[in-house]
Amino acid sequence: MGCGGSVCGGFVPIDQSTCPRHTSSAQIHRRRKRMNGTALAVMVVALSIVWGGLILSIIHLTKNPDIDMDKVPSDH
C-alpha cells in the first residue's frame, strides 16, 4: 500500500519497493545496470583521445620548445 505519503514528504508510492525512503540497499543494488558494450567503447575512445592528446602535446613541446634553450637565462 505504501508508506502513506506523510513519512516520505508527500511521495505516495504504489508499493513499498518504489518508495525511495523505504527501499533497501539490496533492492537498489539489484536495480543497477552495468555498463554495456557501447558505453564501454565510448569511454575507451574518450580516454584515448584525452590521454593521446596529452602525450602528443608533450612530445610536440619537447621537439619544438617555445624558447630556445640557449636563450634561457641562467640564474645560477
Side-chain angles (χ1 to χ4, degrees):
M1 281 300 213
C3 62
S6 62
V7 177
C8 291
F11 179 77
V12 182
I14 295 171
D15 59 0
Q16 290 287 347
S17 65
T18 60
C19 178
R21 185 171 272 183
H22 296 104
T23 303
S24 69
S25 61
Q27 289 171 329
I28 292 171
H29 185 67
R30 279 192 297 254
R31 278 191 260 154
R32 282 191 188 150
K33 294 184 179 181
R34 295 181 182 218
M35 289 181 74
N36 60 12
T38 305
L40 191 60
V42 169
M43 185 183 73
V44 168
V45 168
L47 288 173
S48 299
I49 290 171
V50 169
W51 285 103
L54 178 65
I55 291 169
L56 287 176
S57 66
I58 290 172
I59 291 170
H60 177 74
L61 281 174
T62 56
K63 290 182 179 180
N64 305 310
D66 291 339
I67 300 174
D68 193 20
M69 293 306 291
D70 296 334
K71 295 178 183 176
V72 174
S74 173
D75 291 340
H76 296 93

